[in-house]
Amino acid sequence: MARKKRGRAQLTKAATPSGAVTFTSDQVAALLATNRLGGQTTGVFPPLPRTDPQVAFGPGVPLYPAAIDPPRPDSGRPEPRFNEYPVSSNLPGMSDRLVPWKVLRDAADAGGLLRRCIEIRKAEVSSLGWTIRLTEKAVERAQEGTTQPDHEVAKALRQKLSGEITRCMDFLERPDRGQGEEACDWFAKLLEEHFVLDAIAIYPRRTLGGDLYALEVLDGSTIKPLRDHRGGRPLPPNPAYQQLLWGFPRGEFIADVDEGGKVINGYGSDQLVYRRRNVRAHTPYGYSPVEQALEDLDVWLKRRQWIRSEYTEGKVPTGLVNNNGQSNWSPAQTKEYETYLNDAYGAAGARHRLRILPPGMELGQKSDAAERYRPEYDLFLIKLLAAHLDTTIAELGFTEQGGLGSTGWHEGQASVQRRKGTLPTTRWLQNCVTGMLRLHMGMSPDLEFAFLGLEEEDEAAADAVEENRFKTGRVTLNESRDAAGKPRYDFPEADKPMLVTTRGVVFLEGAAEQAGPGTLIGPAKATPEGEEDDGGEEPKEDDDDQEQDGDEEGGRPEAVKAELAAYRRWARKNPTPRRPFRFATVTKTDAPHINGDFVLFADPAAEDGGGRPKAPSSPDIERVRGWPGWAADMRAVAYWKPRLRKAMRGAVDARLLAERWIAQRGIVVKADEPDLSGVQRSGGDDDHSRQRWDDAVGWLVAQGVRFTDALLIVRDMQTDGYVIGERSATSVLAGQSTVDWSKWRPGDPDAARLVRPTGATNGLQTLLDDSGLIIRNVAANRMDRLAKVLSDSIARGDSAETTALSIEHLLTDAAWAERIAVTEIARGVSAASLFTYQANGVRQKSWLTAVDQRVCPVCMTNESAGAIPISDQFPSGHAYPPGHPSCRCALLPEGLT
């Protein structure tokens, strides 16, 4: 009896640490009962019909399937299996994994290089900010049946769910309270399991009351996914996962959802979340980046071992001594002398292990490691390993040969790496965390978890889409600002849809009243004196012609009537005007009922006794008060703006410059530390900021950074402006209000050559000669701004990637590029206008403010000055526009000799 008891005690012993598994007698009986033939579901089922005709050399009749799975009650035939899994794969020791978990764990820590890649990726994601936000679908659903704008609907919905948002965010601040892990630690642990095993196992630990207490990250290598008879994940209440410890199941869990996607309350504490990034049909296991990199890692480790062996004492001699045979030594004597030669120098000398060759043998020189080593091959292996983890060699501290603008970091590589690695990983994590919060914490389906700062790459594309929507009238200015979360404009035009064309702006409101279908509606023009009326009309030229041709009965009354109608439309659309309405014909006597505070009446002294205006000395000039160049200058701006941005982007390699700046200034952001981008460190005052700025300026100069070459494009802008100005001024002098621009295009070299006459009086050449000062000033401004970006990166502790993005944004600033293009094209336009007027004997000039933009006090003062001598300066001190950056004012002639 004692022996039997001892034997039974041995049967109940657990698995030994070596991995051998023993079972109790009850367990053996249960296994036998499960595997008995009578316990399996087999049989026949009605096969599908075979109606295809049998022909010679045909495919043959398919065999009738043998039933191994239970049939469906409705069809009598079984469903397909997901894969051909190993028989008894749910038992311990049975698995279709090709690579053991321990191999992946060891590989992730071997050699250091792969571990560094993992830490970089972990820090990149875990250091991101995060939030709980509304889903787009929730806002769309809330908008149904309401006329409120998007931002108002979203604001109301956010207020409604504010308590839910706070509850979820408080939980995610410490997702594993039992282990004391904050969000950054928890995400880092999660990413470790993803990159190494691609097996994320999370146990939703609940309180005794059923509330979620923590999301505990388990070792994914201890979790065995089970299969149902079809090879898929067993549905609750069947166990879907088992935890294997010391070779035997120590716990089992159900999947965290049932068929309807809801948590089964009866098994609240038995659930397990198991996620794989690389989901495959033939296996329940994932395919981690480390597993994919094993082959390349093996080559890298063997090469490292070869290099290490060069520094280890071996048996291969470093040299051989040639024996010419003159000594007549016997082999024993030669061996004795060889031993003496190596031992004579002590232990250090013995490492040489010199060998004496027999007579007649020649010395063969053996190449050393330095001759056989090729660093380019090591860099190639580093690139292969880095690619598996979606990192770059620059992030690992390696750079290729080449300076600024070289192939060391080609344009767009950072964006490719972000799109290829960071964004897919973060979006997958967002979906995982959102699903867990909804299932296990009861978060509203209108909310989602999201990382912050992922939209930077798409800002340019989103801006282009938004700009296209605005220019095509699908959204208004205020609707666009609502979407961006910015305050609204307070002027009425911001709420009106408009079409933005190369000719100007056309408001859709009232367009049907101006012209019928199919008729081209041009942009709103200014009244004769150039006032800012979007809806006013310019007196028709034939009215003036009638007036000057002596039609005393209908000429002036019709002109007065037309101008009063234009004024009424202007007054309706400008309830709070910024500038007065200027009449060309109507006097105070004609309209005594109009308040003169915002109106400039025509001068009564200009009329003669017949009630007609006196004929001016230059009637054609007096009649043309618009500016034909406004139909072409914005076309030129649209042409040169992207080219200026491209030129500035090519002037400096932003990524390489950022890496050098960070490296040379001793700023190192460790892979396991969060990037403190955007966080101002304490202790920075104005003196320190100035010192950092001076240091950055000097460093940029030492690096050879310069923008003057890229800004030579300004000369081409001014040339285009000169073409526009020369043609527009010639048209104005001829009494024409328009120019045919259909045969001209921006950057036209033929048109530019026509305005480049030889001689000292060439106005364009004078303008281009003076452009050097402008280019140097603009380049100095950009250099100062770039130095500010670099100095701020030190103050914030930015990483090289963040600094590179800041540099890229500065160099490709769309608003700055447009401002430069508008200003320099306008400078060319005015220079050509002045030169053309002087060449044609014009004695006076006047300043005409632009009709499609807000007018600053400087330009308003210059316009109010009226006609001044052609060689004088306006009150602002300018001889001609532009009076300030982005100024599009024009120069008009006021008299002829």
Side-chain angles (χ1 to χ4, degrees):
M1 292 298 291
R3 287 181 182 177
K4 291 182 179 179
K5 289 182 179 180
R6 284 195 297 271
R8 186 176 298 274
Q10 292 175 356
L11 287 175
T12 58
K13 186 174 68 173
T16 62
S18 63
V21 181
T22 57
F23 302 92
T24 65
S25 57
D26 295 337
Q27 291 169 336
V28 173
L31 290 174
L32 292 175
T34 303
N35 293 324
R36 287 201 310 267
L37 184 61
Q40 295 180 351
T41 302
T42 59
V44 298
F45 59 86
L48 295 173
R50 269 80 169 156
T51 60
D52 193 48
Q54 301 306 307
V55 297
F57 304 104
V61 180
L63 297 176
Y64 289 104
I68 57 175
D69 292 336
R72 286 178 59 95
D74 53 352
S75 65
R77 287 175 290 276
E79 296 176 320
R81 290 189 175 185
F82 287 100
N83 47 61
E84 185 181 357
Y85 52 82
V87 178
S88 302
S89 62
N90 287 341
L91 298 180
M94 299 297 297
S95 175
D96 57 350
R97 279 200 59 81
L98 298 179
V99 181
W101 295 118
K102 189 176 187 306
V103 173
L104 299 182
R105 291 288 193 196
D106 293 342
D109 298 327
L113 183 61
L114 204 61
R115 167 52 54 185
R116 182 61 178 167
C117 293
I118 294 173
E119 294 301 325
I120 289 174
R121 293 298 314 281
K122 286 168 58 177
E124 180 183 33
V125 177
S126 62
S127 61
L128 290 173
W130 52 268
T131 188
I132 301 294
R133 68 184 183 189
L134 297 173
T135 63
E136 293 184 2
K137 292 183 178 179
V139 178
E140 292 175 359
R141 286 194 300 266
Q143 269 193 310
E144 296 178 358
T146 181
T147 58
Q148 290 182 315
D150 293 358
H151 71 287
E152 294 291 345
V153 173
K155 181 179 179 180
L157 188 58
R158 193 177 297 107
Q159 290 178 347
K160 177 182 177 182
L161 297 173
S162 59
E164 187 77 2
I165 294 174
T166 302
R167 181 175 69 93
C168 295
M169 293 191 68
D170 289 344
F171 175 82
L172 283 180
E173 290 287 348
R174 297 183 65 191
D176 191 350
R177 302 179 183 180
Q179 304 302 315
E181 294 174 358
E182 298 182 352
C184 184
D185 306 322
W186 188 80
F187 280 116
K189 184 187 291 188
L190 209 66
L191 291 165
E192 174 76 18
E193 299 300 296
H194 160 56
F195 290 128
V196 179
L197 307 179
D198 197 16
I200 294 180
I202 299 177
Y203 175 59
R205 183 179 176 185
R206 298 184 178 274
T207 63
L208 296 179
D211 296 330
L212 182 64
Y213 175 72
L215 293 172
E216 299 178 341
V217 180
L218 309 181
D219 182 356
S221 64
T222 65
I223 302 302
K224 179 182 180 64
L226 304 178
R227 288 183 168 100
D228 60 12
H229 70 277
R230 297 182 58 208
R233 183 181 67 179
L235 297 177
N238 298 306
Y241 312 103
Q242 286 185 338
Q243 186 175 37
L244 302 183
L245 301 174
W246 297 283
F248 195 80
R250 306 295 175 175
E252 58 184 13
F253 309 90
I254 64 170
D256 57 340
V257 294
D258 62 5
E259 295 177 351
K262 298 179 180 178
V263 177
I264 297 180
N265 296 326
Y267 297 87
S269 61
D270 296 315
Q271 300 162 42
L272 187 72
V273 179
Y274 191 84
R275 296 287 186 270
R276 301 154 293 162
R277 170 73 186 285
N278 200 331
V279 181
R280 298 178 290 176
H282 68 279
T283 175
Y285 298 100
Y287 194 37
S288 69
V290 171
E291 189 171 358
Q292 298 176 44
L294 285 179
E295 183 177 356
D296 295 327
L297 179 63
D298 181 56
V299 177
W300 168 255
L301 293 178
K302 288 180 178 178
R303 182 165 176 83
R304 288 284 303 276
Q305 182 63 31
W306 168 71
I307 295 176
R308 291 175 59 189
S309 66
E310 294 295 334
Y311 299 94
T312 305
E313 181 182 358
K315 296 182 179 179
V316 180
T318 59
L320 301 174
V321 178
N322 187 27
N323 184 1
N324 58 13
Q326 294 181 2
S327 61
N328 295 322
W329 285 349
S330 65
Q333 290 174 321
T334 302
K335 179 64 176 177
E336 182 180 357
Y337 182 77
E338 181 180 291
T339 302
Y340 169 77
L341 182 64
N342 284 289
D343 293 346
Y345 299 101
R351 290 182 303 192
H352 294 288
R353 290 191 175 87
L354 296 176
R355 296 291 181 265
I356 300 178
L357 299 176
M361 297 293 180
E362 294 294 334
L363 175 64
Q365 191 66 28
K366 183 172 177 284
S367 61
D368 59 4
E371 296 178 359
R372 290 176 287 137
Y373 177 71
R374 294 293 182 269
E376 295 81 8
Y377 183 64
D378 279 318
L379 190 61
F380 169 72
L381 293 179
I382 291 172
K383 290 179 180 179
L384 288 180
L385 289 175
H388 288 293
L389 272 298
D390 293 315
T391 55
T392 62
I393 61 173
E395 292 176 297
L396 294 170
F398 298 95
T399 57
E400 299 195 45
Q401 297 297 323
L404 295 178
S406 70
T407 59
W409 178 273
H410 67 78
E411 182 179 348
Q413 185 174 349
S415 299
V416 171
Q417 186 271 339
R418 188 175 183 83
R419 183 172 63 252
K420 179 173 172 285
T422 305
L423 294 180
T425 301
T426 52
R427 286 167 181 166
W428 175 70
L429 274 179
Q430 286 179 174
N431 294 335
C432 292
V433 176
T434 299
M436 286 188 288
L437 293 178
R438 289 176 179 174
L439 288 172
H440 301 289
M441 199 175 178
M443 185 178 73
S444 170
D446 292 337
L447 300 176
E448 65 180 359
F449 169 84
F451 286 105
L452 301 176
L454 300 180
E455 295 79 11
E456 294 181 359
E457 180 193 359
D458 301 327
E459 279 187 1
D463 289 344
V465 172
E466 186 66 22
E467 182 180 7
N468 183 57
R469 289 175 178 173
F470 163 69
K471 288 185 175 181
T472 55
R474 286 177 286 177
V475 296
T476 64
L477 270 175
N478 276 339
E479 289 173 344
S480 177
R481 294 182 68 81
D482 290 341
K486 297 180 179 179
R488 290 187 146 215
Y489 291 131
D490 56 357
F491 50 88
E493 291 81 4
D495 293 309
K496 298 177 181 179
M498 65 186 73
L499 297 178
V500 182
T501 68
T502 56
R503 301 177 59 199
V505 176
V506 178
F507 288 95
L508 297 181
E509 181 181 351
E513 301 176 359
Q514 299 182 37
T519 303
L520 178 64
I521 302 176
K525 296 182 179 180
T527 52
E529 294 297 330
E531 81 285 11
E532 181 198 356
D533 175 24
D534 288 334
E537 293 182 351
E538 199 172 349
K540 301 184 181 298
E541 295 183 8
D542 55 349
D543 292 340
D544 291 328
D545 292 339
Q546 291 175 359
E547 184 179 331
Q548 293 163 9
D549 289 340
D551 188 358
E552 298 183 6
E553 297 296 329
R556 189 174 187 283
E558 289 298 326
V560 170
K561 181 178 179 181
E563 278 199 342
L564 290 176
Y567 166 76
R568 286 192 291 270
R569 285 190 292 271
W570 174 85
R572 286 196 301 268
K573 294 189 176 183
N574 297 274
T576 57
R578 295 183 297 275
R579 287 188 296 164
F581 186 92
R582 178 175 296 178
F583 287 108
T585 305
V586 178
T587 64
K588 182 63 175 177
T589 306
D590 296 324
H593 60 284
I594 296 179
N595 186 357
D597 293 340
F598 293 97
V599 172
L600 295 178
F601 290 102
D603 187 4
E607 299 183 8
D608 57 13
R612 296 176 51 192
K614 293 182 179 179
S617 59
S618 180
D620 289 338
I621 296 176
E622 201 64 34
R623 186 178 72 240
V624 180
R625 303 304 301 177
W627 180 248
W630 285 329
D633 64 341
M634 293 311 293
R635 282 178 57 193
V637 170
Y639 176 85
W640 290 111
K641 174 182 172 181
R643 285 162 175 78
L644 176 58
R645 298 178 67 190
K646 182 178 180 180
M648 293 297 292
R649 183 188 294 113
V652 173
D653 188 325
R655 180 72 188 194
L656 188 57
L657 186 68
E659 290 173 357
R660 288 184 173 180
W661 170 253
I662 296 300
Q664 295 185 20
R665 288 301 176 268
I667 303 174
V668 179
V669 180
K670 297 182 180 179
D672 55 352
E673 293 181 355
D675 186 354
L676 300 178
S677 174
V679 179
Q680 179 68 39
R681 294 180 176 178
S682 60
D685 52 21
D686 293 340
D687 293 338
H688 290 168
S689 300
R690 180 68 185 183
Q691 182 179 1
R692 288 193 301 266
W693 180 83
D694 291 338
D695 178 51
V697 171
W699 184 83
L700 288 172
V701 173
Q703 294 296 312
V705 177
R706 58 193 304 246
F707 295 118
T708 52
D709 292 342
L711 289 170
L712 290 177
I713 196 174
V714 167
R715 295 167 59 89
D716 297 325
M717 297 179 188
Q718 293 178 344
T719 301
D720 259 3
Y722 202 93
V723 174
I724 298 171
E726 190 271 338
R727 292 189 178 184
S728 301
T730 302
S731 176
V732 170
L733 290 175
Q736 299 174 359
S737 60
T738 59
V739 174
D740 183 10
W741 299 106
S742 60
K743 298 180 180 180
W744 171 83
R745 66 181 186 277
D748 186 353
D750 295 331
R753 280 194 291 269
L754 294 178
V755 295
R756 288 177 179 265
T758 58
T761 58
N762 183 0
L764 175 58
Q765 190 59 50
T766 303
L767 175 66
L768 297 181
D769 291 342
D770 295 339
S771 65
L773 179 59
I774 296 174
I775 292 175
R776 288 193 295 271
N777 290 338
V778 176
N781 175 268
R782 288 294 92 184
M783 185 73 82
D784 291 344
R785 295 293 299 274
L786 180 57
K788 181 70 164 53
V789 169
L790 295 180
S791 63
D792 289 347
S793 69
I794 292 182
R796 293 191 299 262
D798 288 349
S799 65
E801 180 181 1
T802 303
T803 305
L805 288 175
S806 300
I807 297 173
E808 186 78 15
H809 290 165
L810 172 68
L811 298 180
T812 60
D813 185 359
W816 172 82
E818 180 172 348
R819 182 165 62 250
I820 295 297
V822 170
T823 306
E824 298 312 315
I825 290 173
R827 195 184 311 278
V829 169
S830 297
S833 303
L834 182 63
F835 181 80
T836 303
Y837 298 154
Q838 290 174 335
N840 285 273
V842 176
R843 295 177 302 173
Q844 292 182 315
K845 61 185 178 183
S846 64
W847 189 292
L848 178 64
T849 55
V851 298
D852 58 348
Q853 65 181 32
R854 289 188 175 184
V855 180
C856 69
V858 173
C859 295
M860 291 180 64
T861 302
N862 290 340
E863 185 181 43
S864 300
I868 66 173
I870 194 72
S871 59
D872 286 1
Q873 293 182 339
F874 288 95
S876 63
H878 296 87
Y880 52 74
H884 54 80
S886 299
C887 176
R888 293 180 61 214
C889 296
L891 198 66
L892 285 182
E894 293 296 339
L896 290 175
T897 56

